[in-house]
Amino acid sequence: MLIDPNRGIDFDNFVVVEEGDYLMRVGSVTKNESTPDRVAWMLRMELVEGPLAGRTAVTDWLNFTDRGMHRVRMILDVLGFDVSRAIDVEADDLVGRVARLRITTEETTRPRDGRVQCRSRVPYDGWSPGED
């Protein structure tokens, strides 16, 4: 097999499932604290149903900033937390919780080398209740 480095396009496809709504489970939560006032949690979301059940389809972020708290409360509410009052939540409290997520595909170009990358993402309002 002859491999010509000048043939083809530089393209990274990280998409696991097509765009649509999927029942998903929080598989893990990774904490990221760049500074005390810039805390974020990365939620690794696993498919619950179908032939790819258990596979990570997308990651989404909870940003604990003034601007991000509305979405944090919205997502915690969808995951079954009572956000009508002050609550203390740990990252592990989210693991195993289920929600229905709308997944879209986003294509970007990496500035340093022009490489095209395609990734799944969850829109701002892409969370809704899953199973009861």
Side-chain angles (χ1 to χ4, degrees):
M1 172 70 66
L2 176 64
I3 307 299
D4 181 349
N6 299 313
R7 221 172 131 205
I9 59 170
D10 285 336
F11 183 81
D12 293 326
N13 188 348
F14 301 107
V15 174
V16 175
V17 293
E18 295 180 11
E19 292 186 346
D21 291 349
Y22 295 90
L23 190 61
M24 306 196 84
R25 175 184 307 106
V26 179
S28 66
V29 179
T30 303
K31 298 180 202 177
N32 181 356
E33 186 172 346
S34 56
T35 63
D37 60 335
R38 304 241 357 130
V39 176
W41 293 353
M42 182 182 71
L43 280 57
R44 186 179 57 80
M45 302 303 296
E46 302 173 344
L47 294 161
V48 172
E49 305 169 323
L52 298 176
R55 184 152 177 205
T56 300
V58 70
T59 57
D60 200 7
W61 289 86
L62 298 181
N63 293 295
F64 296 91
T65 62
D66 286 342
R67 285 187 56 190
M69 286 309 292
H70 179 267
R71 187 165 190 262
V72 168
R73 284 191 302 271
M74 178 183 68
I75 291 172
L76 291 177
D77 182 44
V78 165
L79 291 174
F81 293 91
D82 179 5
V83 295
S84 65
R85 57 181 176 76
I87 58 172
D88 187 18
V89 179
E90 297 297 326
D92 288 342
D93 297 339
L94 279 63
V95 175
R97 303 262 181 156
V98 175
R100 187 159 298 278
L101 273 63
R102 183 172 60 246
I103 294 181
T104 61
T105 303
E106 179 176 76
E107 190 173 291
T108 58
T109 302
R110 196 165 54 191
R112 70 179 156 100
D113 60 7
R115 189 174 186 89
V116 176
Q117 296 185 316
C118 194
R119 298 180 187 275
S120 296
R121 64 178 299 272
V122 181
Y124 183 89
D125 61 349
W127 288 71
S128 59
E131 300 174 327
D132 291 330

